[in-house]
Amino acid sequence: MLSSSQTNEARDFVFTDKEFRFLAGLANQKTGIVLTEQKRDMVYGRLTRRLRALRLRSFAEYCDLLQSDAFEDELPHLVNAITTNLTGFFREAHHFDHLHEQAAEWKRQGKKRLRLWSSACSSGMEPYSMAMTLRQSIPDIDSWDAKILATDIDSNMLAKGTAGEYGASDVEQVPPACQKAFIEPLAGGRVSMGDELRRLVTFRQLNLLESWPMRGKFDVVFCRNVVIYFDKPTKEVLFDRIADVMEPRGLLYIGHSENLHGITDRFELLGRTIYRRIR
Ligand SMILES: C[S@@+](CC[C@H](N)C(=O)[O-])C[C@H]1O[C@@H](n2cnc3c(N)ncnc32)[C@H](O)[C@@H]1O
């Protein structure tokens, strides 16, 4: 095992324990993301790019910058660098199958208003998958009052989601019928989300730790693969707040390695990582 001074010898920038602790503390305070010692190399790799862009010579200079008047301008860059944005179309496909079945139930109930929230939407593949599922399940959705809110803390990801363009290989997991109906090929091996999807989805920046401006209640919340980065008290507060913004029997989908056991009793488990609000 290398000591931090030995590791530093092979590196372009010295990265001391003190600097790592400062950056990890700031990231945790602002985003809820816990950066343990095991994430140190990841933090180094992601932030050296930023140091080079700023033409800084050391992490000490970067920490100084974050303690100067430039803090507000630099913070979004720090946040964007430390978030992990892995996502995919129809990731954890059983959630979309379940949403499809739920849509049949809404139709039977004569429901005409729907509010869905993709609460850590990354580059938009999750909310566009939700939109495709709704369009397939409810062909007359344009006569409903249906909206999907897609939020994330990372401004770079929101820009990608809003642009709605991806590589052709990104949409391989999209069922062929959905590709045909809702995705348009572009030049250069790129594809674009069609207008029928874009009309349903609105992208906004939102930090799950801060205040939420939404007023209406959600029928469905996707909160997937984001709380894995948070500590238990942060999860407890977050899921309590999510229950508060949901319809009484609303659906919550969480990530494959997550569960609500010991976190909140406001949801009942319906199936694998699928919950219903009960209080
Ligand atoms: C691994 S991605 C998951 C994307 C998608 N939900 C999925 O499961 O495919 C996690 C996302 O959470 C976002 N995130 C992290 N901390 C956040 C916070 N405090 N508020 C809002 N989004 C956050 C990151 O920017 C990132 O895009």
Side-chain angles (χ1 to χ4, degrees):
M1 177 99 176
L2 293 174
S3 72
S4 65
S5 59
Q6 284 171 308
T7 325
N8 275 325
E9 275 171 26
R11 290 181 157 175
D12 292 343
F13 298 94
V14 174
F15 191 25
T16 66
D17 291 345
K18 188 172 162 224
E19 288 147 9
F20 174 67
R21 279 198 304 274
F22 170 76
L23 293 169
L26 186 58
N28 180 248
Q29 185 198 339
K30 296 295 175 187
T31 68
I33 296 170
V34 177
L35 294 169
T36 56
E37 188 59 35
Q38 289 77 36
K39 297 281 167 71
R40 192 183 173 121
D41 286 345
M42 181 202 88
V43 172
Y44 177 89
R46 291 182 182 182
L47 285 178
T48 47
R49 261 174 262 152
R50 185 69 194 143
L51 264 64
R52 289 200 175 94
L54 291 167
R55 298 184 182 279
L56 297 178
R57 281 162 306 175
S58 67
F59 272 85
E61 283 186 6
Y62 189 58
C63 293
D64 287 346
L65 182 80
L66 286 163
Q67 293 169 94
S68 73
D69 291 347
F71 171 74
E72 292 295 338
D73 289 340
E74 185 53 29
L75 184 62
H77 294 282
L78 173 68
V79 168
N80 290 356
I82 57 114
T83 53
T84 296
N85 308 112
L86 182 73
T87 189
F89 284 99
F90 289 89
R91 183 184 192 187
E92 295 165 44
H94 67 288
H95 289 159
F96 299 94
D97 296 339
H98 188 267
L99 183 59
H100 176 72
E101 286 162 26
Q102 180 62 43
E105 180 60 26
W106 288 326
K107 286 194 281 192
R108 269 195 297 278
Q109 291 167 358
K111 198 168 163 67
K112 285 281 181 184
R113 182 183 185 278
L114 280 182
R115 293 290 182 270
L116 289 80
W117 181 22
S118 166
S119 66
C121 67
S122 189
S123 60
M125 298 180 187
E126 180 177 279
Y128 286 126
S129 303
M130 293 158 72
M132 285 187 242
T133 305
L134 287 191
R135 286 241 170 244
Q136 286 251 297
S137 318
I138 311 172
D140 66 340
I141 192 130
D142 286 329
S143 67
W144 293 39
D145 172 14
K147 290 182 179 158
I148 299 168
L149 175 66
T151 64
D152 202 282
I153 196 172
D154 185 326
S155 55
N156 290 336
M157 291 303 116
L158 292 165
K160 287 191 181 187
T162 308
E165 291 184 11
Y166 304 93
S169 60
D170 292 329
V171 296
E172 277 168 6
Q173 296 307 315
V174 176
C178 286
Q179 291 195 33
K180 194 158 175 270
F182 308 121
I183 298 180
E184 294 158 11
L186 299 173
R190 306 279 297 162
V191 296
S192 174
M193 298 298 106
D195 279 347
E196 290 196 318
L197 302 180
R198 291 170 187 263
R199 280 206 303 275
L200 285 174
V201 184
T202 305
F203 288 93
R204 291 276 179 273
Q205 190 170 30
L206 183 140
N207 182 344
L208 290 168
L209 261 51
E210 294 179 354
S211 59
W212 302 346
M214 304 84 84
R215 267 167 278 126
K217 300 273 185 190
F218 292 100
D219 301 287
V220 173
V221 176
F222 278 63
C223 184
R224 308 190 311 165
N225 306 303
V226 57
V227 301
I228 31 165
Y229 305 106
F230 296 171
D231 60 20
K232 189 164 179 249
T234 307
K235 290 184 208 182
E236 287 168 355
V237 172
L238 177 62
F239 284 113
D240 198 42
R241 293 179 70 201
I242 288 179
D244 286 343
V245 298
M246 289 178 71
E247 292 287 357
R249 291 180 61 72
L251 293 171
L252 171 67
Y253 299 103
I254 65 173
H256 58 95
S257 63
E258 301 156 353
N259 72 75
L260 300 185
H261 185 71
I263 303 284
T264 174
D265 60 1
R266 298 189 63 186
F267 298 89
E268 67 176 351
L269 185 64
L270 291 186
R272 186 161 46 111
T273 56
I274 303 173
Y275 291 81
R276 184 189 296 288
R277 184 189 156 184
I278 50 168
R279 55 177 70 92

